[in-house]
Amino acid sequence: MAMLGNLGENLTKTMKKLVGMSVIDKKTIKEVVKEIQRALIQSDVNIALVLDLSKKIESRALEEEPPKGITPREYVITIIYEEMVNLLGGDAAGLDIDVKPYKILFLGLQGSGKTTTIGKLCRYLQKKGFNPAVVCTDTWRPAAYEQLRQLTEEMQVPLYGDPDNKDALDLAQKGLKEFKNRKVIIFDTAGRHKQEEDLIAEMDTLDDIIQPTESILVIDGTIGQQAGEQAKAFSQATDVGSIIITKLDGSAKGGGAMSAVAETGAPIKFVGTGERIDDFELFDPERFISRLLG
Ligand code: GDP
């Protein structure tokens, strides 16, 4: 698949090889584990995580007896699948929109894909029958409001913003009032690259005013393992509830980003897989790994 660079291709190849092997023994298991290691390291997954995973796969494959009716080969495949799902955090989390208004605060550095992702989430929610509204509190980037306006207009999503108002907190308050009867309100926030401390301080005050039901941090998947550090930095400063990882299409480093974030314990709820509005999916580790293994 086009996601995560060659990771899917390499893993599929390895699994095919495993299926074609005439015997499954210590030597072939070690060979398969080596290939999985190589594929994950190429995808920027942290070496310690890779070693831990391969140790688990190898020892389970060598020691555990397959349950009745399952061949050793099938069982090795199951073990690989289970351990890789665990690496990505296990179960799918999704959004549970159980209060009204469900207020989502979007965080993320500039360029991470935050604005695009807001559009994608609006489309996703519309398909589920919710009518989201968006509030633009990004007063730092003049083009932010315009970008959101175009995006929301196409989808007929109501937008509150005022490019002349430079007070993010005031915008948040007015937006809250404007959309208080909506089921879902999404707040876009500023995301500058520089002066990260100021940005995080502003997020903190916005957080107090909006009292979000959920804060979602958008992270660019092409930064690889560094995504773990970024998730930690934001969650120390604000209450990050969940993560969306973008740009998994084609990026060779996406596997590193996903595993590093999963390791921090913050749930990955959605992933972005392209520039188009529908290139977005609920993140379900089981489905995701099934597709990667082919
Ligand atoms: P923001 O500054 O965080 O609001 O970022 P934007 O939403 O403006 O996105 C920055 C760039 O990343 C744009 O060119 C988007 O089209 C692109 N982008 C966002 N999400 C994805 C994705 O999942 N895949 C790809 N390939 N590009 C993306």
Side-chain angles (χ1 to χ4, degrees), residues 215-236:
S215 297
I216 299 182
L217 173 64
V218 177
I219 297 184
D220 180 338
T222 64
I223 68 172
Q225 281 181 53
Q226 286 172 35
E229 293 306 314
Q230 206 177 95
K232 265 187 237 154
F234 268 91
S235 53
Q236 271 161 12

Side-chain angles (χ1 to χ4, degrees), residues 29-223:
I29 287 171
K30 279 188 185 283
E31 196 182 322
V32 164
V33 167
K34 271 256 145 53
E35 285 192 14
I36 294 173
Q37 279 182 343
R38 214 174 297 136
L40 292 174
I41 288 168
Q42 270 177 17
S43 179
D44 198 40
V45 179
N46 178 279
I47 305 272
L49 282 182
V50 173
L51 289 181
D52 187 47
L53 174 88
S54 35
K55 225 183 276 164
K56 276 187 195 145
I57 294 175
E58 196 171 307
S59 65
R60 285 190 60 191
L62 292 175
E63 287 160 23
E64 290 180 15
E65 280 293 321
K68 259 208 182 82
I70 294 185
T71 66
R73 186 189 320 273
E74 283 164 348
Y75 196 51
V76 172
I77 293 171
T78 306
I79 290 169
I80 292 170
Y81 166 82
E82 285 175 358
E83 293 303 333
M84 290 196 58
V85 170
N86 283 339
L87 181 76
L88 293 186
D91 297 325
L95 284 180
D96 186 15
I97 298 176
D98 51 359
V99 290
K100 185 187 160 190
Y102 196 90
K103 295 173 280 184
I104 304 176
L105 185 65
F106 258 76
L107 309 167
L109 298 182
Q110 195 173 315
S112 59
K114 188 159 47 71
T115 313
T116 312
T117 304
I118 287 175
K120 290 174 173 180
L121 183 64
C122 283
R123 170 62 61 87
Y124 174 88
L125 288 168
Q126 280 182 328
K127 280 189 190 158
K128 298 257 168 219
F130 297 107
N131 282 319
V134 176
V135 177
C136 176
T137 76
D138 184 349
T139 55
W140 294 89
R141 203 160 51 105
Y145 175 78
E146 188 47 31
Q147 193 185 349
L148 270 179
R149 196 188 58 74
Q150 284 175 16
L151 204 61
T152 50
E153 204 170 79
E154 270 170 45
M155 293 187 283
Q156 299 182 329
V157 167
L159 170 71
Y160 178 80
D162 176 359
D164 296 325
N165 186 345
K166 294 293 166 211
D167 184 347
L169 308 178
D170 183 51
L171 285 165
Q173 263 156 346
K174 288 181 173 149
L176 263 179
K177 221 181 267 164
E178 174 93 8
F179 295 133
K180 64 176 186 297
N181 292 322
R182 289 260 156 184
K183 185 88 181 163
V184 183
I185 315 174
I186 296 174
F187 294 84
D188 182 25
T189 63
R192 287 159 301 156
H193 265 306
K194 300 208 171 84
Q195 296 151 297
E196 227 170 283
E197 274 170 31
D198 290 354
L199 171 68
I200 288 176
E202 183 178 295
M203 294 301 116
D204 218 22
T205 322
L206 270 179
D207 202 84
D208 285 346
I209 288 177
I210 296 168
Q211 301 200 350
T213 326
E214 174 151 2
S215 297
I216 299 182
L217 173 64
V218 177
I219 297 184
D220 180 338
T222 64
I223 68 172

